[in-house]
Amino acid sequence: MLKTHLPERTRRRAAVGGRLMRYCNTVAHAPRMPRVLCVDDDPDIQAAMEIMFRPYRVEMEHAHYGMEGIVKVTQWKPALIVMDLAMPNGSGEDLLAVLKFNPMLRDIPVIVLTGVRDADAQRRMLLQGASSFLQKPLDFRQILDEASRFIDLDLRERE
């Protein structure tokens, strides 16, 4: 049997290539984390949402007003949208109307989280296609319960 010795550089490349192949296979077959888009002009609400979803395997993105929310939805394709109703530069009603008009976006569940205490606004949003209507102040358990109706909230492993 003839033994050939590969140069050190070639052996390292082979080892790195093998590790890269295993990593790519792992990533390709790993389930994708659900994406949640929070559209709210209040930075405190955005920070609270970030803290609330942090223990779960969820990707979080933020938009600060309605028009930015429309752009982020089309670019980022979230699995769930949590949005305020009253915002500058495009209200929650405008965002919901755009979502439900577009066939590629209409199936994204939308949770309206607002300080508006108006039964007509609630009825209007639900008729327009909102999946849920919650009122501020924030109740973390209620928001997480509603979100879990639409996405899997798996706890992150300790890192």
Side-chain angles (χ1 to χ4, degrees), residues 36-39 46-47 49-50 60-64 68 72:
V36 177
L37 176 64
C38 175
V39 186
Q46 290 185 356
M49 296 293 285
E50 188 77 36
M60 191 86 186
E61 182 66 37
H62 300 280
H64 304 285
E68 183 184 11
K72 292 254 175 124

Side-chain angles (χ1 to χ4, degrees), residues 21-30:
M21 185 95 95
R22 283 191 300 278
Y23 172 78
C24 289
N25 286 335
T26 304
V27 170
H29 299 295

Side-chain angles (χ1 to χ4, degrees), residues 83 85 91-101 106 108 110 112 120-131 133:
M83 70 173 189
L85 188 57
S91 70
E93 286 192 57
D94 297 337
L95 175 57
L96 187 62
V98 168
L99 288 172
K100 298 308 172 181
F101 182 75
R106 76 170 48 133
I108 299 173
V110 176
V112 176
D120 287 337
Q122 180 177 0
R123 185 175 41 77
R124 213 173 38 250
M125 295 302 287
L126 291 172
L127 285 173
Q128 274 187 292
S131 305
F133 190 94

Side-chain angles (χ1 to χ4, degrees), residues 18-118:
R19 285 194 305 269
L20 182 60
M21 185 95 95
R22 283 191 300 278
Y23 172 78
C24 289
N25 286 335
T26 304
V27 170
H29 299 295
R32 197 176 80 152
M33 289 192 294
R35 294 175 163 183
V36 177
L37 176 64
C38 175
V39 186
D40 200 310
D41 59 322
D42 185 349
D44 293 334
I45 297 296
Q46 290 185 356
M49 296 293 285
E50 188 77 36
I51 291 167
M52 182 175 46
F53 281 102
R54 188 175 295 150
Y56 300 96
R57 293 183 45 78
V58 171
E59 288 182 66
M60 191 86 186
E61 182 66 37
H62 300 280
H64 304 285
Y65 48 88
M67 293 305 291
E68 183 184 11
I70 292 169
V71 171
K72 292 254 175 124
V73 166
T74 55
Q75 290 174 343
W76 202 57
K77 307 283 189 291
L80 174 67
I81 299 170
V82 180
M83 70 173 189
D84 192 6
L85 188 57
M87 293 179 287
N89 198 2
S91 70
E93 286 192 57
D94 297 337
L95 175 57
L96 187 62
V98 168
L99 288 172
K100 298 308 172 181
F101 182 75
N102 186 326
M104 294 176 59
L105 305 174
R106 76 170 48 133
D107 293 332
I108 299 173
V110 176
I111 297 174
V112 176
L113 179 63
T114 185
V116 174
R117 304 235 185 275
D118 181 7

